[in-house]
Amino acid sequence: MKFRPVITSLLLACASAGLTSCFSSSKVNTKNETSVGQQLSDLDNAYRRGIITEKEYLKLKKAIIKAND
């Protein structure tokens, strides 16, 4: 399933943001190996295939763009 990398990327981004405040002496780095264009393409594909709803699509699209702004 191609949608899995999008969710994984979003979860890693959220988790790393939360973990950086827990550890004052270390920095958590995550590297997103999937381009923004590919993430959006995968998201669009998931929506067109009916895997996610329009509401989920719009929410995730906004999150991808914001995370890479």
Side-chain angles (χ1 to χ4, degrees):
M1 182 181 329
K2 291 187 176 195
F3 185 60
R4 193 169 295 231
V6 174
I7 292 178
T8 302
S9 297
L10 289 174
L11 289 175
L12 284 174
C14 292
S16 67
L19 288 176
T20 56
S21 63
C22 295
F23 303 102
S24 60
S25 63
S26 65
K27 185 175 180 181
V28 176
N29 289 323
T30 60
K31 183 175 181 182
N32 185 358
E33 295 180 10
T34 308
S35 70
V36 175
Q38 184 62 52
Q39 290 178 32
L40 292 172
S41 179
D42 290 344
L43 182 63
D44 185 62
N45 186 29
Y47 172 63
R48 289 176 189 266
R49 291 177 56 201
I51 297 170
I52 59 173
T53 66
E54 182 178 7
K55 184 177 179 180
E56 292 169 320
Y57 169 78
L58 294 172
K59 182 179 178 181
L60 291 169
K61 180 180 174 184
K62 189 175 186 178
I64 291 168
I65 293 170
K66 185 176 181 180
N68 292 284
D69 203 10

